Amino acid sequence: MLKIRFHGRGGQGVKTSSRILGRAAFLDGFIAQDSPIYGAERRGAPVVSFTRISSTPITERGFIFDPDIVIVMDETLLNDWLARPLEGIKKGGAVFVNALSEFPPPEGHDDKLFITYDLTGRALEILGKPIISSPAAAAAAKITGLITKSSILEATAEELAELDLKDELVEKNIQLAAEVYDAISTPVINTQESGSITSEVSPLDYEPVSYEEVIHLDIVNLGNSALRRTGNWRIFKPIVDPQKCTGCLVCVVYCPDSCITLDENNKAVIDYDNCKGCMICLRECPLRAIYSVREVRVYA
Amino acid sequence: MRDIKVMAGNVAAVEMMRVEMLTGNVAAAWAARLADVDYIPAYPITPQTEIIETLAKWIGEGVMKAKLVQLESEHSMLTAAGTASLTGARVFTATSSQGLFYGFEMLYNISGWRAPLVLVNVSRGVAAPVTLEPDHNDVLAARDSGFLQFHAETCQDVLDLILLAYRVSEDRRVRLPSIVNMDGFYLSFTREPVNLPSQETVKDFLPPYTPTLPFRASRPVVKGASVLGGHIYTYFKHNIHESMRRAVEVFDEAARRYAELTGRLHKPVEGFCLEDAEYVLVMSNSFTTMGKRAVLKLRERGVPAGLVKIVMYRPFPSTQLVELLKNRRAVAVLDQNISLGMGGIIYQEVAGALYHQRNRPEILMSVIGGLGGKYISPEEFEYIFNALQHPEGREPNTPLFLFRKDELESVKKALGLAGLGGEMG
């Protein structure tokens, strides 16, 4: 069985990507299983999805802890302490990263093969949107070495049609998927089934009646949402042009996360630790003083 | 009202033992009044409404100090009840049947929040068909919700069990809400003599409720946070289960103290005529009185019959129950409820409790009776004991559905009136 784990951000097409791959495997005669996992759904928040491909019945469900292949759909996730996309990958496994340029394997991951391709850049050019469900699925399909090109393209068409995409956009996605499938070469993946990946069993005991007090499901450490920085949710980064900014406060008022203030020169300043990159400021600025650049933070 | 005043030389020894004719509903109201509750969110539903009417009247007259608010539904009522309890208020509320179901999702929240309020459920069969009369499918639906459950046989039990419920619920080793159940009509609207303990006695028995991390202005606290991943969820469910288990012993402690003060000892499970009993009927709630009468009649004829009444339904007192049922020849569990497609709910739980008992009864029979308040006649009780003595040919897991010929005639007549054949069809 091959286990593929997709890491991306809400809005990138993470779930659809795992579904395109799952359907393609199904079309190629394999037994497939695909599923997503996410909390409260938010654009930009880390999302994970999974595809299992096997020639025998699949006896697992849920989270893939020990993937053979990991698809990182946003390179800024590589150092996200919650997403931890590289965790548990089997020795000899492959990691695909949607990134502008190649980089050496991060420390501790020399035993894995890293493949990069700028999916977002190509998606922006061909689709005009940073949605990469089909090219990420195509990349995964090629890396597995199991999925035929015709199946991945057919699966792309079927999955996107189910999402009510216009024919023209489906066609562009197929074009993009084909390009990525052809551009990436299949690596040699030689992973071994790992043993137990969780710690030892320790059933919960019962406290005696003499126990003083029950444990309440309460949170008293308040203000802890400040610990959760949301700055790495961005796919695009808004930048203020100080030459044009007049300090009119429109962006300050419209920012849903109160991330914009004015500095001593009356110019808008964005708190990049918490800005989620929603781009409302860019749309609302009456002087077009805010522009955007693609968010890239190469793994350090 | 009949006051029995024991006059003595000093004022302190003047203990007033009031015995009054009270309905189960008014007995419940009295319990809330004696417990000195602070807040009563309410919503009317037959056969429970008399409880809140009585409390509203007392508050209006100024003889009771509490805040009673009528909400727009039972869902809001239970939400208000749980959150108020977390501020440190002692909360009382009451509902029945459809009302309990309408507020159902809040039950699990209230126990998860560890809000130790007391909810009286006046049992009423659940629609459809619509009825106002009692069976226990309403209260038993809440059995897994993290509420302690106490089931009353008499109007006196209603009062006593509410006071006991407050003490056990508020105990820091338990900190879980309680449901006290009484049967609609058979208790709710039935008057019988009830001993009212004095306010001082109840004050002595019931210490003030001291909440843990209560809601306070300028000191926010999050209760019942969302926890993804399953392990924290599991941990806290186990935590509640653990508190439930402790509640059996905490109840016994409280009951012993209550007996010292009032002379009435309540147990999680009560035996009746169990000495040398070979044929035992397990049941609960108000119909138990009639079951006891049947046992006495059989005893007169030399049949070694006995009865076990389940008072505490959650936590389920398996150990105590098994102790009373082991070595019996044959046991019948009378369920005034039905899990459709399975059978009696309590039968399954009794069977589970007995499984590991080496000396378990050879025969364990399931009986369904009293659905929608259907009367159980002396002949029907006798039928059960006859079946226990002659179990041959009976499939024990298939419940015996109590019914009578005259009732069958009546059903046929009703079908005719409805235009569905029968006598007038």
Side-chain angles (χ1 to χ4, degrees), chain A residues 39 204-209 211 213-219 222, chain B residues 172-173 220 222-225 235 238-239 241-243 245-246 249:
Chain A
L204 293 169
D205 286 332
Y206 293 100
E207 296 287 353
V209 174
Y211 193 57
E213 210 175 293
V214 304
I215 302 164
H216 290 250
L217 175 52
D218 292 352
I219 300 173
L222 297 162
Chain B
R172 284 175 171 276
R173 294 165 292 177
V222 175
K223 303 267 182 189
Y235 182 86
H238 171 267
N239 186 237
H241 183 57
E242 191 176 42
S243 306
R245 285 163 51 106
R246 282 198 287 269
E249 208 161 312

PDB file of all heavy atoms in Angstrom, chain A residues 39 204-209 211 213-219 222, chain B residues 172-173 220 222-225 235 238-239 241-243 245-246 249:
ATOM      1  N   GLY A  39     -10.379  21.330  11.184  1.00  0.00           N
ATOM      2  CA  GLY A  39     -11.190  21.817  12.298  1.00  0.00           C
ATOM      3  C   GLY A  39     -12.225  22.775  11.760  1.00  0.00           C
ATOM      4  O   GLY A  39     -12.821  22.527  10.720  1.00  0.00           O
ATOM      5  N   LEU A 204      -6.717   4.479  31.186  1.00  0.00           N
ATOM      6  CA  LEU A 204      -6.996   5.436  32.257  1.00  0.00           C
ATOM      7  C   LEU A 204      -7.482   4.691  33.496  1.00  0.00           C
ATOM      8  O   LEU A 204      -8.342   3.819  33.399  1.00  0.00           O
ATOM      9  CB  LEU A 204      -8.065   6.440  31.797  1.00  0.00           C
ATOM     10  CG  LEU A 204      -7.635   7.388  30.676  1.00  0.00           C
ATOM     11  CD1 LEU A 204      -8.836   8.132  30.119  1.00  0.00           C
ATOM     12  CD2 LEU A 204      -6.601   8.381  31.178  1.00  0.00           C
ATOM     13  N   ASP A 205      -6.926   5.028  34.641  1.00  0.00           N
ATOM     14  CA  ASP A 205      -7.317   4.388  35.902  1.00  0.00           C
ATOM     15  C   ASP A 205      -8.472   5.134  36.547  1.00  0.00           C
ATOM     16  O   ASP A 205      -8.854   6.218  36.118  1.00  0.00           O
ATOM     17  CB  ASP A 205      -6.128   4.389  36.873  1.00  0.00           C
ATOM     18  CG  ASP A 205      -5.097   3.354  36.458  1.00  0.00           C
ATOM     19  OD1 ASP A 205      -5.506   2.366  35.832  1.00  0.00           O
ATOM     20  OD2 ASP A 205      -3.911   3.563  36.751  1.00  0.00           O
ATOM     21  N   TYR A 206      -8.971   4.568  37.615  1.00  0.00           N
ATOM     22  CA  TYR A 206     -10.032   5.226  38.385  1.00  0.00           C
ATOM     23  C   TYR A 206      -9.486   5.716  39.715  1.00  0.00           C
ATOM     24  O   TYR A 206      -8.814   4.986  40.424  1.00  0.00           O
ATOM     25  CB  TYR A 206     -11.191   4.254  38.630  1.00  0.00           C
ATOM     26  CG  TYR A 206     -11.906   3.892  37.372  1.00  0.00           C
ATOM     27  CD1 TYR A 206     -11.653   2.693  36.714  1.00  0.00           C
ATOM     28  CD2 TYR A 206     -12.829   4.769  36.803  1.00  0.00           C
ATOM     29  CE1 TYR A 206     -12.301   2.370  35.533  1.00  0.00           C
ATOM     30  CE2 TYR A 206     -13.477   4.453  35.624  1.00  0.00           C
ATOM     31  CZ  TYR A 206     -13.214   3.256  34.993  1.00  0.00           C
ATOM     32  OH  TYR A 206     -13.853   2.946  33.837  1.00  0.00           O
ATOM     33  N   GLU A 207      -9.806   6.957  40.040  1.00  0.00           N
ATOM     34  CA  GLU A 207      -9.421   7.508  41.333  1.00  0.00           C
ATOM     35  C   GLU A 207     -10.400   6.995  42.382  1.00  0.00           C
ATOM     36  O   GLU A 207     -11.578   6.801  42.094  1.00  0.00           O
ATOM     37  CB  GLU A 207      -9.478   9.040  41.290  1.00  0.00           C
ATOM     38  CG  GLU A 207      -8.494   9.677  40.317  1.00  0.00           C
ATOM     39  CD  GLU A 207      -7.064   9.620  40.799  1.00  0.00           C
ATOM     40  OE1 GLU A 207      -6.845   9.211  41.956  1.00  0.00           O
ATOM     41  OE2 GLU A 207      -6.166   9.959  40.006  1.00  0.00           O
ATOM     42  N   PRO A 208      -9.935   6.794  43.612  1.00  0.00           N
ATOM     43  CA  PRO A 208     -10.842   6.295  44.653  1.00  0.00           C
ATOM     44  C   PRO A 208     -11.838   7.364  45.107  1.00  0.00           C
ATOM     45  O   PRO A 208     -11.719   8.531  44.758  1.00  0.00           O
ATOM     46  CB  PRO A 208      -9.884   5.941  45.792  1.00  0.00           C
ATOM     47  CG  PRO A 208      -8.703   6.821  45.569  1.00  0.00           C
ATOM     48  CD  PRO A 208      -8.583   6.988  44.093  1.00  0.00           C
ATOM     49  N   VAL A 209     -12.810   6.933  45.912  1.00  0.00           N
ATOM     50  CA  VAL A 209     -13.832   7.864  46.401  1.00  0.00           C
ATOM     51  C   VAL A 209     -13.218   8.973  47.241  1.00  0.00           C
ATOM     52  O   VAL A 209     -13.715  10.093  47.292  1.00  0.00           O
ATOM     53  CB  VAL A 209     -14.898   7.090  47.217  1.00  0.00           C
ATOM     54  CG1 VAL A 209     -15.888   8.037  47.856  1.00  0.00           C
ATOM     55  CG2 VAL A 209     -15.632   6.134  46.301  1.00  0.00           C
ATOM     56  N   TYR A 211     -10.849  10.641  46.625  1.00  0.00           N
ATOM     57  CA  TYR A 211     -10.357  11.692  45.738  1.00  0.00           C
ATOM     58  C   TYR A 211     -11.061  13.006  46.069  1.00  0.00           C
ATOM     59  O   TYR A 211     -12.271  13.040  46.242  1.00  0.00           O
ATOM     60  CB  TYR A 211     -10.666  11.278  44.297  1.00  0.00           C
ATOM     61  CG  TYR A 211      -9.977  12.064  43.236  1.00  0.00           C
ATOM     62  CD1 TYR A 211      -8.597  12.158  43.205  1.00  0.00           C
ATOM     63  CD2 TYR A 211     -10.720  12.697  42.248  1.00  0.00           C
ATOM     64  CE1 TYR A 211      -7.971  12.870  42.198  1.00  0.00           C
ATOM     65  CE2 TYR A 211     -10.101  13.409  41.246  1.00  0.00           C
ATOM     66  CZ  TYR A 211      -8.726  13.486  41.223  1.00  0.00           C
ATOM     67  OH  TYR A 211      -8.121  14.190  40.217  1.00  0.00           O
ATOM     68  N   GLU A 213     -11.459  16.116  44.555  1.00  0.00           N
ATOM     69  CA  GLU A 213     -12.226  17.000  43.690  1.00  0.00           C
ATOM     70  C   GLU A 213     -12.124  16.546  42.237  1.00  0.00           C
ATOM     71  O   GLU A 213     -11.090  16.038  41.818  1.00  0.00           O
ATOM     72  CB  GLU A 213     -11.664  18.416  43.806  1.00  0.00           C
ATOM     73  CG  GLU A 213     -12.691  19.489  43.598  1.00  0.00           C
ATOM     74  CD  GLU A 213     -12.107  20.864  43.850  1.00  0.00           C
ATOM     75  OE1 GLU A 213     -11.766  21.164  45.011  1.00  0.00           O
ATOM     76  OE2 GLU A 213     -11.978  21.611  42.887  1.00  0.00           O
ATOM     77  N   VAL A 214     -13.182  16.747  41.501  1.00  0.00           N
ATOM     78  CA  VAL A 214     -13.161  16.356  40.102  1.00  0.00           C
ATOM     79  C   VAL A 214     -12.342  17.361  39.282  1.00  0.00           C
ATOM     80  O   VAL A 214     -12.064  18.465  39.739  1.00  0.00           O
ATOM     81  CB  VAL A 214     -14.586  16.270  39.526  1.00  0.00           C
ATOM     82  CG1 VAL A 214     -15.434  15.323  40.345  1.00  0.00           C
ATOM     83  CG2 VAL A 214     -15.234  17.639  39.457  1.00  0.00           C
ATOM     84  N   ILE A 215     -11.976  16.954  38.070  1.00  0.00           N
ATOM     85  CA  ILE A 215     -11.249  17.860  37.179  1.00  0.00           C
ATOM     86  C   ILE A 215     -12.251  18.538  36.252  1.00  0.00           C
ATOM     87  O   ILE A 215     -13.025  17.862  35.573  1.00  0.00           O
ATOM     88  CB  ILE A 215     -10.204  17.094  36.354  1.00  0.00           C
ATOM     89  CG1 ILE A 215      -9.233  16.366  37.291  1.00  0.00           C
ATOM     90  CG2 ILE A 215      -9.441  18.040  35.425  1.00  0.00           C
ATOM     91  CD1 ILE A 215      -8.430  15.295  36.601  1.00  0.00           C
ATOM     92  N   HIS A 216     -12.249  19.847  36.264  1.00  0.00           N
ATOM     93  CA  HIS A 216     -13.203  20.587  35.435  1.00  0.00           C
ATOM     94  C   HIS A 216     -12.609  20.886  34.067  1.00  0.00           C
ATOM     95  O   HIS A 216     -11.419  21.170  33.951  1.00  0.00           O
ATOM     96  CB  HIS A 216     -13.593  21.900  36.129  1.00  0.00           C
ATOM     97  CG  HIS A 216     -14.440  21.672  37.342  1.00  0.00           C
ATOM     98  ND1 HIS A 216     -15.758  22.007  37.402  1.00  0.00           N
ATOM     99  CD2 HIS A 216     -14.147  21.113  38.538  1.00  0.00           C
ATOM    100  CE1 HIS A 216     -16.248  21.670  38.583  1.00  0.00           C
ATOM    101  NE2 HIS A 216     -15.289  21.129  39.288  1.00  0.00           N
ATOM    102  N   LEU A 217     -13.458  20.831  33.067  1.00  0.00           N
ATOM    103  CA  LEU A 217     -13.029  21.144  31.701  1.00  0.00           C
ATOM    104  C   LEU A 217     -13.089  22.658  31.517  1.00  0.00           C
ATOM    105  O   LEU A 217     -13.909  23.186  30.793  1.00  0.00           O
ATOM    106  CB  LEU A 217     -13.934  20.413  30.707  1.00  0.00           C
ATOM    107  CG  LEU A 217     -13.777  20.664  29.212  1.00  0.00           C
ATOM    108  CD1 LEU A 217     -12.355  20.484  28.756  1.00  0.00           C
ATOM    109  CD2 LEU A 217     -14.693  19.762  28.434  1.00  0.00           C
ATOM    110  N   ASP A 218     -12.236  23.353  32.238  1.00  0.00           N
ATOM    111  CA  ASP A 218     -12.261  24.818  32.228  1.00  0.00           C
ATOM    112  C   ASP A 218     -10.939  25.355  31.684  1.00  0.00           C
ATOM    113  O   ASP A 218      -9.902  24.707  31.808  1.00  0.00           O
ATOM    114  CB  ASP A 218     -12.428  25.360  33.655  1.00  0.00           C
ATOM    115  CG  ASP A 218     -13.803  25.042  34.224  1.00  0.00           C
ATOM    116  OD1 ASP A 218     -14.661  24.548  33.471  1.00  0.00           O
ATOM    117  OD2 ASP A 218     -14.004  25.281  35.420  1.00  0.00           O
ATOM    118  N   ILE A 219     -10.995  26.541  31.121  1.00  0.00           N
ATOM    119  CA  ILE A 219      -9.770  27.231  30.730  1.00  0.00           C
ATOM    120  C   ILE A 219      -9.731  28.549  31.495  1.00  0.00           C
ATOM    121  O   ILE A 219     -10.651  29.360  31.383  1.00  0.00           O
ATOM    122  CB  ILE A 219      -9.718  27.506  29.209  1.00  0.00           C
ATOM    123  CG1 ILE A 219      -9.788  26.191  28.426  1.00  0.00           C
ATOM    124  CG2 ILE A 219      -8.447  28.271  28.844  1.00  0.00           C
ATOM    125  CD1 ILE A 219      -9.907  26.374  26.928  1.00  0.00           C
ATOM    126  N   LEU A 222      -6.252  32.953  30.277  1.00  0.00           N
ATOM    127  CA  LEU A 222      -6.950  33.703  29.236  1.00  0.00           C
ATOM    128  C   LEU A 222      -5.972  34.420  28.317  1.00  0.00           C
ATOM    129  O   LEU A 222      -4.791  34.517  28.608  1.00  0.00           O
ATOM    130  CB  LEU A 222      -7.914  34.677  29.883  1.00  0.00           C
ATOM    131  CG  LEU A 222      -8.993  33.914  30.670  1.00  0.00           C
ATOM    132  CD1 LEU A 222      -9.671  34.835  31.650  1.00  0.00           C
ATOM    133  CD2 LEU A 222     -10.005  33.291  29.741  1.00  0.00           C
TER     134      LEU A 222
ATOM    135  N   ARG B 172     -17.998  17.845  45.894  1.00  0.00           N
ATOM    136  CA  ARG B 172     -16.835  18.109  45.034  1.00  0.00           C
ATOM    137  C   ARG B 172     -16.252  16.838  44.422  1.00  0.00           C
ATOM    138  O   ARG B 172     -15.496  16.903  43.457  1.00  0.00           O
ATOM    139  CB  ARG B 172     -15.736  18.828  45.826  1.00  0.00           C
ATOM    140  CG  ARG B 172     -16.051  20.288  46.058  1.00  0.00           C
ATOM    141  CD  ARG B 172     -14.994  20.915  46.953  1.00  0.00           C
ATOM    142  NE  ARG B 172     -15.154  22.368  47.012  1.00  0.00           N
ATOM    143  CZ  ARG B 172     -14.664  23.207  46.114  1.00  0.00           C
ATOM    144  NH1 ARG B 172     -14.000  22.759  45.095  1.00  0.00           N
ATOM    145  NH2 ARG B 172     -14.848  24.503  46.254  1.00  0.00           N
ATOM    146  N   ARG B 173     -16.569  15.687  44.981  1.00  0.00           N
ATOM    147  CA  ARG B 173     -16.088  14.430  44.414  1.00  0.00           C
ATOM    148  C   ARG B 173     -16.972  13.956  43.259  1.00  0.00           C
ATOM    149  O   ARG B 173     -16.620  13.033  42.545  1.00  0.00           O
ATOM    150  CB  ARG B 173     -16.057  13.345  45.505  1.00  0.00           C
ATOM    151  CG  ARG B 173     -15.057  13.619  46.603  1.00  0.00           C
ATOM    152  CD  ARG B 173     -15.323  12.743  47.801  1.00  0.00           C
ATOM    153  NE  ARG B 173     -16.594  13.114  48.464  1.00  0.00           N
ATOM    154  CZ  ARG B 173     -17.111  12.468  49.514  1.00  0.00           C
ATOM    155  NH1 ARG B 173     -16.492  11.419  50.017  1.00  0.00           N
ATOM    156  NH2 ARG B 173     -18.232  12.868  50.059  1.00  0.00           N
ATOM    157  N   PRO B 220     -13.030  36.112  33.601  1.00  0.00           N
ATOM    158  CA  PRO B 220     -13.601  35.159  32.654  1.00  0.00           C
ATOM    159  C   PRO B 220     -12.996  33.764  32.767  1.00  0.00           C
ATOM    160  O   PRO B 220     -11.836  33.608  33.149  1.00  0.00           O
ATOM    161  CB  PRO B 220     -13.282  35.769  31.289  1.00  0.00           C
ATOM    162  CG  PRO B 220     -12.432  36.941  31.527  1.00  0.00           C
ATOM    163  CD  PRO B 220     -12.259  37.181  32.979  1.00  0.00           C
ATOM    164  N   VAL B 222     -13.415  29.864  30.549  1.00  0.00           N
ATOM    165  CA  VAL B 222     -14.049  29.114  29.461  1.00  0.00           C
ATOM    166  C   VAL B 222     -14.491  27.758  30.009  1.00  0.00           C
ATOM    167  O   VAL B 222     -13.693  27.041  30.603  1.00  0.00           O
ATOM    168  CB  VAL B 222     -13.063  28.900  28.291  1.00  0.00           C
ATOM    169  CG1 VAL B 222     -13.689  28.011  27.221  1.00  0.00           C
ATOM    170  CG2 VAL B 222     -12.649  30.238  27.693  1.00  0.00           C
ATOM    171  N   LYS B 223     -15.774  27.440  29.836  1.00  0.00           N
ATOM    172  CA  LYS B 223     -16.291  26.130  30.261  1.00  0.00           C
ATOM    173  C   LYS B 223     -16.605  25.317  29.004  1.00  0.00           C
ATOM    174  O   LYS B 223     -17.205  25.837  28.064  1.00  0.00           O
ATOM    175  CB  LYS B 223     -17.578  26.294  31.073  1.00  0.00           C
ATOM    176  CG  LYS B 223     -17.434  27.181  32.306  1.00  0.00           C
ATOM    177  CD  LYS B 223     -17.108  26.354  33.526  1.00  0.00           C
ATOM    178  CE  LYS B 223     -17.013  27.236  34.755  1.00  0.00           C
ATOM    179  NZ  LYS B 223     -16.483  26.491  35.911  1.00  0.00           N
ATOM    180  N   GLY B 224     -16.240  24.072  29.018  1.00  0.00           N
ATOM    181  CA  GLY B 224     -16.611  23.193  27.912  1.00  0.00           C
ATOM    182  C   GLY B 224     -15.998  23.611  26.586  1.00  0.00           C
ATOM    183  O   GLY B 224     -16.682  23.728  25.587  1.00  0.00           O
ATOM    184  N   ALA B 225     -14.691  23.837  26.585  1.00  0.00           N
ATOM    185  CA  ALA B 225     -13.997  24.255  25.358  1.00  0.00           C
ATOM    186  C   ALA B 225     -14.055  23.149  24.305  1.00  0.00           C
ATOM    187  O   ALA B 225     -14.301  21.988  24.627  1.00  0.00           O
ATOM    188  CB  ALA B 225     -12.544  24.573  25.680  1.00  0.00           C
ATOM    189  N   TYR B 235     -10.442  11.748  27.686  1.00  0.00           N
ATOM    190  CA  TYR B 235      -9.980  11.961  29.055  1.00  0.00           C
ATOM    191  C   TYR B 235     -11.098  12.537  29.920  1.00  0.00           C
ATOM    192  O   TYR B 235     -11.331  12.091  31.045  1.00  0.00           O
ATOM    193  CB  TYR B 235      -8.760  12.897  29.042  1.00  0.00           C
ATOM    194  CG  TYR B 235      -8.182  13.140  30.415  1.00  0.00           C
ATOM    195  CD1 TYR B 235      -7.244  12.257  30.953  1.00  0.00           C
ATOM    196  CD2 TYR B 235      -8.583  14.222  31.185  1.00  0.00           C
ATOM    197  CE1 TYR B 235      -6.729  12.455  32.214  1.00  0.00           C
ATOM    198  CE2 TYR B 235      -8.077  14.429  32.450  1.00  0.00           C
ATOM    199  CZ  TYR B 235      -7.141  13.547  32.959  1.00  0.00           C
ATOM    200  OH  TYR B 235      -6.640  13.742  34.215  1.00  0.00           O
ATOM    201  N   HIS B 238     -13.989  10.062  30.516  1.00  0.00           N
ATOM    202  CA  HIS B 238     -13.567   9.136  31.573  1.00  0.00           C
ATOM    203  C   HIS B 238     -13.671   9.798  32.932  1.00  0.00           C
ATOM    204  O   HIS B 238     -14.115   9.191  33.911  1.00  0.00           O
ATOM    205  CB  HIS B 238     -12.124   8.677  31.300  1.00  0.00           C
ATOM    206  CG  HIS B 238     -11.514   7.902  32.430  1.00  0.00           C
ATOM    207  ND1 HIS B 238     -10.775   8.500  33.412  1.00  0.00           N
ATOM    208  CD2 HIS B 238     -11.569   6.587  32.742  1.00  0.00           C
ATOM    209  CE1 HIS B 238     -10.391   7.572  34.293  1.00  0.00           C
ATOM    210  NE2 HIS B 238     -10.858   6.413  33.898  1.00  0.00           N
ATOM    211  N   ASN B 239     -13.296  11.064  32.966  1.00  0.00           N
ATOM    212  CA  ASN B 239     -13.349  11.842  34.195  1.00  0.00           C
ATOM    213  C   ASN B 239     -14.783  11.906  34.742  1.00  0.00           C
ATOM    214  O   ASN B 239     -15.026  11.770  35.949  1.00  0.00           O
ATOM    215  CB  ASN B 239     -12.815  13.245  33.864  1.00  0.00           C
ATOM    216  CG  ASN B 239     -12.672  14.127  35.079  1.00  0.00           C
ATOM    217  OD1 ASN B 239     -13.248  15.200  35.122  1.00  0.00           O
ATOM    218  ND2 ASN B 239     -11.950  13.686  36.077  1.00  0.00           N
ATOM    219  N   HIS B 241     -17.212   9.744  33.974  1.00  0.00           N
ATOM    220  CA  HIS B 241     -17.582   8.371  34.326  1.00  0.00           C
ATOM    221  C   HIS B 241     -17.063   8.014  35.719  1.00  0.00           C
ATOM    222  O   HIS B 241     -17.751   7.386  36.528  1.00  0.00           O
ATOM    223  CB  HIS B 241     -17.003   7.419  33.278  1.00  0.00           C
ATOM    224  CG  HIS B 241     -17.379   5.985  33.489  1.00  0.00           C
ATOM    225  ND1 HIS B 241     -18.692   5.566  33.557  1.00  0.00           N
ATOM    226  CD2 HIS B 241     -16.622   4.870  33.674  1.00  0.00           C
ATOM    227  CE1 HIS B 241     -18.719   4.257  33.769  1.00  0.00           C
ATOM    228  NE2 HIS B 241     -17.491   3.814  33.844  1.00  0.00           N
ATOM    229  N   GLU B 242     -15.844   8.459  35.976  1.00  0.00           N
ATOM    230  CA  GLU B 242     -15.208   8.223  37.267  1.00  0.00           C
ATOM    231  C   GLU B 242     -16.002   8.908  38.389  1.00  0.00           C
ATOM    232  O   GLU B 242     -16.252   8.321  39.447  1.00  0.00           O
ATOM    233  CB  GLU B 242     -13.795   8.813  37.180  1.00  0.00           C
ATOM    234  CG  GLU B 242     -12.872   8.470  38.276  1.00  0.00           C
ATOM    235  CD  GLU B 242     -11.498   9.055  37.994  1.00  0.00           C
ATOM    236  OE1 GLU B 242     -11.405  10.209  37.539  1.00  0.00           O
ATOM    237  OE2 GLU B 242     -10.517   8.335  38.221  1.00  0.00           O
ATOM    238  N   SER B 243     -16.431  10.131  38.152  1.00  0.00           N
ATOM    239  CA  SER B 243     -17.229  10.859  39.149  1.00  0.00           C
ATOM    240  C   SER B 243     -18.547  10.141  39.389  1.00  0.00           C
ATOM    241  O   SER B 243     -19.043  10.080  40.512  1.00  0.00           O
ATOM    242  CB  SER B 243     -17.516  12.286  38.673  1.00  0.00           C
ATOM    243  OG  SER B 243     -16.330  12.932  38.333  1.00  0.00           O
ATOM    244  N   ARG B 245     -19.084   6.926  39.145  1.00  0.00           N
ATOM    245  CA  ARG B 245     -18.829   5.757  39.990  1.00  0.00           C
ATOM    246  C   ARG B 245     -18.725   6.145  41.460  1.00  0.00           C
ATOM    247  O   ARG B 245     -19.231   5.446  42.333  1.00  0.00           O
ATOM    248  CB  ARG B 245     -17.543   5.071  39.540  1.00  0.00           C
ATOM    249  CG  ARG B 245     -17.683   4.279  38.256  1.00  0.00           C
ATOM    250  CD  ARG B 245     -16.334   3.981  37.641  1.00  0.00           C
ATOM    251  NE  ARG B 245     -15.413   3.384  38.593  1.00  0.00           N
ATOM    252  CZ  ARG B 245     -15.061   2.101  38.587  1.00  0.00           C
ATOM    253  NH1 ARG B 245     -15.554   1.292  37.688  1.00  0.00           N
ATOM    254  NH2 ARG B 245     -14.210   1.623  39.459  1.00  0.00           N
ATOM    255  N   ARG B 246     -18.048   7.269  41.715  1.00  0.00           N
ATOM    256  CA  ARG B 246     -17.910   7.719  43.103  1.00  0.00           C
ATOM    257  C   ARG B 246     -19.258   8.080  43.710  1.00  0.00           C
ATOM    258  O   ARG B 246     -19.437   8.016  44.921  1.00  0.00           O
ATOM    259  CB  ARG B 246     -16.988   8.947  43.159  1.00  0.00           C
ATOM    260  CG  ARG B 246     -15.525   8.640  43.055  1.00  0.00           C
ATOM    261  CD  ARG B 246     -14.707   9.821  43.551  1.00  0.00           C
ATOM    262  NE  ARG B 246     -14.741  10.922  42.602  1.00  0.00           N
ATOM    263  CZ  ARG B 246     -13.847  11.090  41.630  1.00  0.00           C
ATOM    264  NH1 ARG B 246     -12.855  10.241  41.483  1.00  0.00           N
ATOM    265  NH2 ARG B 246     -13.943  12.104  40.813  1.00  0.00           N
ATOM    266  N   GLU B 249     -21.107   5.822  46.410  1.00  0.00           N
ATOM    267  CA  GLU B 249     -20.666   5.890  47.805  1.00  0.00           C
ATOM    268  C   GLU B 249     -21.027   7.240  48.436  1.00  0.00           C
ATOM    269  O   GLU B 249     -21.420   7.304  49.600  1.00  0.00           O
ATOM    270  CB  GLU B 249     -19.156   5.652  47.871  1.00  0.00           C
ATOM    271  CG  GLU B 249     -18.726   5.052  49.173  1.00  0.00           C
ATOM    272  CD  GLU B 249     -17.347   4.403  49.052  1.00  0.00           C
ATOM    273  OE1 GLU B 249     -17.127   3.639  48.090  1.00  0.00           O
ATOM    274  OE2 GLU B 249     -16.501   4.691  49.900  1.00  0.00           O
TER     275      GLU B 249
END
